[in-house]
Amino acid sequence: MPLDACTRKTLSDSFGREVNYLRLSVTDRCDLRCTYCMAERMTFLPKRELLSIEELEKLVGAFIDLGVRKLRLTGGEPLVRHGIMSLIEKLGHEVATGRLAELTLTTNGTQLTRFAPALASNGVRRINVSLDTLNPEKFAKVTRRGRLDQVLQGIEAARAAGLQVKINTMGLRGFNDAEIPDLVDWALERGCDLAFIEVMPMGEVEVEDRLGQYWPLGELRSMLEERFTLRDTSFCTGGPSRYCDVLGTQQRIGFITPMSHNFCASCNRVRVNCRGELFTCLGREGSCDLRPALRDSTDISEVHRAIRSALSRKPKGHDFAYAANEISGAVSRGMNHTGG
Ligand code: SAM
Ligand code: SF4
């Protein structure tokens, strides 16, 4: 039975922000090597260091007990994690009983042809698919090994299974600037919302020019306004996107602007990586290891205590910044490690 809103627990930090959203990275591995996210040659964590499927389930249960209502699975690529569907099945029960309001995932789309129907029948209603270009050569270049047709087929499989698909696109100056309006048209034709993301200085990747790649989304929006009429809306999915309606369509476009428009004041989320490290801020190095409480204790209140204690230390915000000639506040941890 759904929990009555009045009896729900809430998890808050010391700045009074309610944290009800967990992003859980189920693996640091991926079948692609996007240039802004990973190095070409990656050393992944030894498999024994990863939380087991049972530990992941226990961890999510503990967060739900404390007030988390929304869960996004991510990675690495969540759909390459061995046993992922058995985890999703179990988490689907949390949705069915009303303990979890939403179960979703962020994926590169390569495995969707195989998994979309099972996702849809296990409580997943919408997913985010990352797609930065519709040009097959550019796609192969930015992902270092991906095939665009595989991802496009995956997106169609997801839509056919009844999943709502939102496209996530990195705004990359000098890479996809010219095709942004076409990407919007493509998403409009398929009834997919689309969100643009500013690249963050995370991870030791081999991008020659991180700074040159950064494209403030205000500029991207101005370019779109030459072709579309955009109107700001208060619509919110619980994530960091600020949305606008595309007038004359049912479509929305989101802008995720960690760099040019910091949204830390309204941050409602935390991240746990596949090793059980809790990051209360994506843009800070500190973390809290939940694995000992998860592995060594049968008492779930140990896990609750560790989570609450970490939350009380959630920082006010990140320190990332791109100035004229330099990047500050960069973190060495890659997005695939923390979970995007
Ligand atoms: N593999 C899945 C995917 O690509 O959707 C999930 C993990 S990926 C790390 C999650 C998101 O992080 C993707 O949308 C990706 O574009 C984004 N991302 C990766 N590196 C980033 C960076 N340096 N700055 C901002 N976003 C980044
Ligand atoms: Fe893999 Fe996603 Fe990172 Fe690309 S952005 S390398 S698909 S984890």
Side-chain angles (χ1 to χ4, degrees):
M1 248 217 320
L3 289 178
D4 174 36
C6 302
T7 60
R8 275 183 183 160
K9 292 201 171 164
T10 54
L11 194 56
S12 301
D13 70 7
S14 61
F15 300 96
R17 294 172 296 193
E18 187 186 330
V19 172
N20 51 26
Y21 181 4
L22 170 65
R23 292 191 174 209
L24 176 61
S25 172
V26 295
T27 178
D28 62 334
R29 287 163 198 260
C30 186
D31 50 346
L32 304 182
R33 296 285 184 279
C34 300
T35 51
Y36 48 78
C37 176
M38 288 193 192
E40 166 90 73
R41 286 167 194 273
M42 289 293 295
T43 308
F44 294 109
L45 293 169
K47 289 202 175 140
R48 65 176 180 283
E49 288 205 17
L50 267 54
L51 295 184
S52 67
I53 295 296
E54 292 68 31
E55 287 165 342
L56 288 167
E57 188 195 353
K58 183 173 168 190
L59 177 87
V60 172
F63 273 98
I64 296 175
D65 295 342
L66 293 177
V68 159
R69 294 286 162 262
K70 179 171 170 180
L71 173 66
R72 176 175 296 278
L73 301 181
T74 180
E77 173 48 42
L79 294 179
V80 303
R81 169 71 200 251
H82 188 67
I84 185 67
M85 279 321 302
S86 80
L87 176 66
I88 289 176
E89 242 172 65
K90 286 170 179 144
L91 299 176
H93 288 303
E94 300 281 22
V95 178
T97 59
R99 287 216 328 141
L100 202 54
E102 186 172 43
L103 168 62
T104 180
L105 73 162
T106 301
T107 171
N108 63 25
T110 60
Q111 310 301 314
L112 280 174
T113 311
R114 181 170 161 214
F115 288 121
L119 292 175
S121 57
N122 283 289
V124 178
R125 299 279 162 265
R126 57 189 193 98
I127 58 173
N128 289 0
V129 182
S130 304
L131 179 65
D132 303 324
T133 174
L134 291 170
N135 175 311
E137 287 80 38
K138 284 173 117 179
F139 184 83
K141 191 167 172 213
V142 74
T143 61
R144 292 203 187 95
R145 57 191 63 188
R147 276 186 21 234
L148 179 66
D149 61 336
Q150 187 184 3
V151 172
L152 298 184
Q153 282 162 18
I155 292 172
E156 289 318 311
R159 293 176 61 226
L163 294 170
Q164 215 179 308
V165 176
K166 188 179 95 181
I167 304 295
N168 278 350
T169 300
M170 301 287 296
L172 296 169
R173 200 197 289 278
F175 176 73
N176 57 6
D177 7 12
E179 61 170 313
I180 293 296
D182 294 343
L183 260 159
V184 173
D185 278 337
W186 177 89
L188 287 179
E189 282 161 21
R190 282 156 187 79
C192 299
D193 285 344
L194 187 149
F196 293 105
I197 309 174
E198 287 174 347
V199 70
M200 292 180 274
M202 295 190 64
E204 276 144 19
V205 296
E206 294 126 345
V207 172
E208 318 83 61
D209 187 11
R210 230 347 159 196
L211 195 56
Q213 192 181 51
Y214 168 57
W215 191 12
L217 292 186
E219 289 181 23
L220 185 153
R221 178 172 173 154
S222 302
M223 189 184 88
L224 281 180
E225 283 174 330
E226 290 171 16
R227 178 127 147 225
F228 304 96
T229 307
L230 306 180
R231 189 180 52 202
D232 287 328
T233 145
S234 56
F235 174 80
C236 178
T237 60
S241 249
R242 286 176 300 134
Y243 282 93
C244 55
D245 291 325
V246 183
L247 293 195
T249 77
Q250 299 298 311
Q251 235 46 49
R252 276 182 293 256
I253 295 184
F255 296 93
I256 304 177
T257 54
M259 308 304 303
S260 62
H261 183 276
N262 173 314
F263 40 71
C264 301
S266 60
C267 184
N268 62 344
R269 70 209 73 107
V270 292
R271 292 174 161 81
V272 176
N273 71 7
C274 54
R275 227 176 184 169
E277 292 164 321
L278 168 60
F279 295 88
T280 55
C281 177
L282 178 64
R284 297 282 189 153
E285 296 283 4
S287 67
C288 161
D289 191 358
L290 299 177
R291 209 167 38 168
L294 270 173
R295 285 205 168 154
D296 306 341
S297 167
T298 49
D299 182 3
I300 196 71
S301 59
E302 291 288 320
V303 184
H304 294 158
R305 239 189 313 276
I307 295 172
R308 281 198 188 284
S309 157
L311 251 290
S312 69
R313 285 172 274 120
K314 180 171 163 70
K316 195 168 180 191
H318 69 70
D319 280 338
F320 294 143
Y322 292 113
N325 297 313
E326 62 170 13
I327 300 172
S328 54
V331 296
S332 57
R333 208 177 60 236
M335 268 305 240
N336 72 305
H337 180 76
T338 322

